[in-house]
Amino acid sequence: MCLSQLVIIALLLSMGTSKPLKQDRPSCGYQSCPQGKPGMLNVHLICHTHDDVGWLKTVDQYFYGANNTIQRAGVQYILDSVIQELRHDPKKRFIYVETAFFWRWWRQQHDHMRHQVQKLVRDGQLEFIGGGWSMNDEATCHYNDIIDQMTWGFRRLSDTFGSCGIPRIGWQIDPFGHSREQASLFAQMYFDGLFLGRIDYQDKSKRQKTQTMEMVWKASDDIGPAADLFTGVLPNTYSPPAGFCFDTLCDSVPIMDDPRLHDYNVNERVDSFIKIAHEQAKMYTTNHIVMTMGEDFNYQNANLWYKNLDKIIKYVNEKQKNGSNVNVFYSTPSCYLYALNQANKTWPTKSDDFFPYASDPHAYWTGYFTSRPSIKGFVKHSNNFLQVCKQLDTLARLGPMDAGDVSVLPLQVSFLFQLVPIPLAVQKIPGRVSKATSELVFNVKLPALGFSTYFIRKSNKFNTGCDIANRWKTRLLREFHLSNGIKLPVKQSFYWYNGMNGNNSEAKFRASGAYIFRPNGTTPYPIDNNVTVTLVTGPLLNEIHQTFSPWISQVIRIYNNTKYAELEWLVGPIPIKNNIGKEIITRFDTNLQSKKKFYTDANGRQVLKRVRNERPTWSLNITEPVSGNYYPVNSRIYIKDDSKNIQLTILTDRSQGGSSLSDGSIELMVHRRLLYDDAFGVGEPLNETGVDGRGLVVRGRHLILLNSTSVAGKQQRELSEKVLLQPWLSFAPFSGSEYEWAKQFTTEYSGLKRPLPPNIHLLTLEQWKGNSVLLRLEHFFEKTDDPRGLSKPANVSLKDMFTPFNVVNVTETTLGANQPLRKASRFAWNIEHNSTRTNVNTGHQRDAPTGPEFNITLNPMEIRTFLVTLNDSVKQLKSIS
Ligand SMILES: *[C@@H]1O[C@H](CO)[C@@H](O)[C@H](O)[C@H]1NC(C)=O
Ligand SMILES: *[C@@H]1O[C@H](CO)[C@@H](O)[C@H](O)[C@H]1NC(C)=O
Ligand SMILES: *[C@@H]1O[C@H](CO)[C@@H](O)[C@H](O)[C@H]1NC(C)=O
Ligand SMILES: *[C@@H]1O[C@H](CO)[C@@H](O)[C@H](O)[C@H]1NC(C)=O
Ligand SMILES: *[C@@H]1O[C@H](CO)[C@@H](O)[C@H](O)[C@H]1NC(C)=O
Ligand SMILES: *[C@@H]1O[C@H](CO)[C@@H](O)[C@H](O)[C@H]1NC(C)=O
Ligand SMILES: *[C@@H]1O[C@H](CO)[C@@H](O)[C@H](O)[C@H]1NC(C)=O
Ligand SMILES: *[C@@H]1O[C@H](CO)[C@@H](O)[C@H](O)[C@H]1NC(C)=O
Ligand SMILES: *[C@@H]1O[C@H](CO)[C@@H](O)[C@H](O)[C@H]1NC(C)=O
Ligand SMILES: *[C@@H]1O[C@H](CO)[C@@H](O)[C@H](O)[C@H]1NC(C)=O
Ligand SMILES: [Zn+2]
């Protein structure tokens, strides 16, 4: 997993780009938009294709159109075909979204074609919308991944198309629910607006009735207006209106407009279109409406779409002579947004998020928060490794140098260490190649943004430091003791829900599946009737090894110098005897009076309050009491009791679904294995197997924190940063002399001259272009986490930050690094504010780095992005081996 990611990055770095074509006055952008007609109902037709970057087929299979028996889809043909159509008619427009596919195609084109495409982009006929490497999911992605993948796509577009390749619009038409943090990040990427396809069916119905499909989303309490984002919900997810899909993959009736032929149908088709337009207009507030003319992998033969849309435009607009007020034309999401902005009206606002997503009363898309738990674990692990690689790549950018006096000569220190036995269940995980039976534990202090080297020798007489006892009375986690003497009963155990079987013929027969979580019954079954335990103690850590069943075990680990308990669970193969699919949860039960409230993070960053059986913006009809209360947990979930002044927090090592279904209780779904498809496209049950062909075995960790509510925010923020980016261990056999090694190679190194403030995290450090690197710093506290301490603004001087190089110039950019901040601007919108109309200028300007020291200030939850020019004349790190 990690290796392949590295290979991909290396390949992409070496790919050539063709210079943006220099010509005067590009007409891309809002100035090239069709204006519509005042007083008419203006219908913006958006020609688009939704191209999943990997789903039922691999990305390359989708690109080439291979394995079409799985799904008929070939993206290369879409681009070939659309470009020809656009070239022949300047009125036609098309948007393209997924840069992963566009880039594959672009690399294969000759200069002639490239110039034609550059012209189409410059003229605004072909526009990049979204523009990330892919349209990322919002429930299970971490913000670090989102920012990286958007930046990667943006950079390809900017390098190729200059300013016309800067996407203006977020286009999240297929994710199954929408996170507030994603909207905040998009606002900081300077998108002018965001369009969504899927929102909860109850929410949508209310919004349609109350004409609140379009709003200003206030996406961050900490960042304020700079995180406000205009958000529109599209009328038909991202499909065309019923009866108007003209692709080879669809079967709508074409416009048959030759009156000499038998099947002439223009009047009937035009009337139907006009009726739909008027119906749709009732749900929106301006005299502009939008119709998405496309579907998954549409436009492989673009002529079908364009030929019929040309006719619709012609015949619908002809009716204006007879008094019709419908005016239809080719447009783009940005042109539609521009029309909304020009309308100068006052928009409603929203401050919560769009989770969970239900498409009908029994289809809550909360199963995929946990589905494929191993891959979700790998994603986190790979991101960690990717950041390590980028940092090392930057620090080592000038190549090798002598060890010199930097180098620390090894001292022989007798570390206190502990050998901890690896539980048998772990040793027996199918596919495990290691023969290790115990783990070596010792404490080290690591330099910031650096590394240190340890030589480990096996000694003949060593002390295992273990005392294995089998007489532990309590078999389950029962109680936590706080250092202030408070004891809190915390029962932890595993349970399973019976996944609903069904044939999906009607909503009530929906099966639990890859996307949908639908338990049969609201009470999960316990798995703790016969738990056996082993106790491992030592100077550095104590462990309790619990076996719940032949397929569930857990290690409860407490280090002597940390304040949390680590629960490392091992689940699988989940038995599927008697045709019963199972969804496994870990549950923590306490007597905390949490009063229906619990808290979950968005994309590993801001935290949102959840209230059981409620939604902040509509009165919820509870049809699925368990899955309708599940929310994405990317990094943390907590409950608190204000009268007891206690908060219980669980940090996860991967994305999972979680909830609090009764006061004092937290549950997280860790694994699921199901025997029926849920009929949302994957066409198979979620029945993952491991290398041995049996059900998949998954291992993961939860960190449990218990603290007073006033300091819990600080503690969980600090710890979750450590969980996100852990030190990377690498091992090599070594038989020489440590002294010789240390004379030749750097053994300890820090890339930072001084530590960053404790509330600041170095989010990105990667090579950019020429002498510049991309640097992102973030304040990772919310205002409310530690109001009198680490939630305060922090100052950093960029000038003297790094050991191996001097910073000679700094340019602050938008979050996606595709525009200098000083040149970037966004639309302003009017919103209701305490029943007065307020103009929100969302393009908020920050103070530029000041003085020769490049001093900057970071406020809570702020991320600042810089292109930093480095001075190369400094000594470099010798070798990172
Ligand atoms: C995809 O096509 C290739 C070549 O025809 C074939 O070898 C492979 O098995 C196919 N993969 C799947 C998943 O059908
Ligand atoms: C927008 O509307 C406000 C009042 O609602 C008005 O004062 C202002 O001039 C309008 N702006 C434009 C550009 O029409
Ligand atoms: C749900 O569970 C009940 C028993 O609790 C069983 O009788 C019923 O068949 C199950 N329904 C489905 C669809 O699995
Ligand atoms: C409990 O589990 C142990 C070990 O897995 C087994 O030897 C014992 O028979 C089980 N006891 C019961 C009552 O199932
Ligand atoms: C943990 O153990 C290490 C090694 O014995 C010791 O230096 C440290 O003080 C201990 N920490 C605590 C909190 O007991
Ligand atoms: C709640 O949803 C169910 C299932 O769709 C429906 O039968 C019922 O009428 C709804 N109740 C209300 C109050 O809307
Ligand atoms: C689930 O996977 C197992 C193991 O590969 C297989 O034996 C079983 O038939 C599968 N069941 C379904 C319903 O897919
Ligand atoms: C509570 O959090 C504070 C702040 O991080 C920390 O210093 C303290 O050790 C924590 N106490 C416990 C019992 O976890
Ligand atoms: C430093 O960067 C700014 C843009 O932020 C640019 O205008 C200026 O020319 C650069 N100065 C040097 C010395 O490179
Ligand atoms: C808006 O109303 C809230 C309470 O409803 C109040 O706290 C706040 O001060 C008001 N803001 C303004 C700008 O009037
Ligand atoms: Zn999709």
Side-chain angles (χ1 to χ4, degrees), residues 431-566:
R432 182 177 191 261
V433 286
S434 168
K435 294 195 173 60
T437 54
S438 51
E439 284 176 326
L440 177 67
V441 179
F442 58 98
N443 283 322
V444 298
K445 210 170 150 84
L446 289 174
L449 194 68
F451 62 81
S452 42
T453 314
Y454 295 86
F455 301 92
I456 298 166
R457 268 185 206 288
K458 192 173 163 184
S459 141
N460 285 333
K461 60 180 192 70
F462 64 83
N463 172 13
T464 64
C466 296
D467 163 22
I468 299 178
N470 228 332
R471 295 182 306 276
W472 199 48
K473 286 277 176 352
T474 320
R475 296 181 182 277
L476 290 177
L477 178 59
R478 292 280 182 213
E479 196 163 68
F480 265 86
H481 295 230
L482 280 95
S483 44
N484 60 7
I486 296 175
K487 293 177 186 174
L488 185 82
V490 179
K491 184 195 170 191
Q492 181 270 339
S493 192
F494 293 91
Y495 304 79
W496 60 278
Y497 289 104
N498 176 355
M500 188 73 92
N501 297 343
N503 62 11
N504 308 299
S505 59
E506 290 175 43
K508 64 181 181 196
F509 297 131
R510 178 76 62 194
S512 207
Y515 299 109
I516 305 303
F517 170 34
R518 189 175 181 216
N520 180 359
T522 52
T523 314
Y525 302 92
I527 313 182
D528 59 8
N529 58 343
N530 182 20
V531 182
T532 60
V533 294
T534 306
L535 191 62
V536 175
T537 62
L540 298 177
L541 61 93
N542 294 332
E543 289 188 351
I544 297 148
H545 296 190
Q546 297 168 297
T547 304
F548 288 78
S549 80
W551 53 280
I552 295 190
S553 60
Q554 179 171 259
V555 174
I556 301 177
R557 182 175 297 129
I558 299 181
Y559 291 95
N560 83 327
N561 59 355
T562 59
K563 294 284 183 186
Y564 56 84
E566 185 173 303

Side-chain angles (χ1 to χ4, degrees), residues 57 610 648 800:
K57 307 199 284 191
R610 313 298 188 180
L648 171 67
D800 262 345

Side-chain angles (χ1 to χ4, degrees), residues 725-737:
L725 291 176
Q726 301 180 26
W728 205 267
L729 303 181
S730 65
F731 299 90
F734 182 67
S735 56
S737 140

Side-chain angles (χ1 to χ4, degrees), residues 253-270 311 314-315 318-319:
V253 181
I255 316 301
M256 299 184 269
D257 57 344
D258 187 338
R260 296 166 299 185
L261 300 184
H262 184 263
D263 287 341
Y264 182 83
N265 67 358
V266 169
N267 289 335
E268 168 204 326
R269 302 259 54 206
V270 163
K311 292 179 184 178
K314 178 171 179 233
Y315 296 116
E318 263 177 21
K319 291 266 176 173

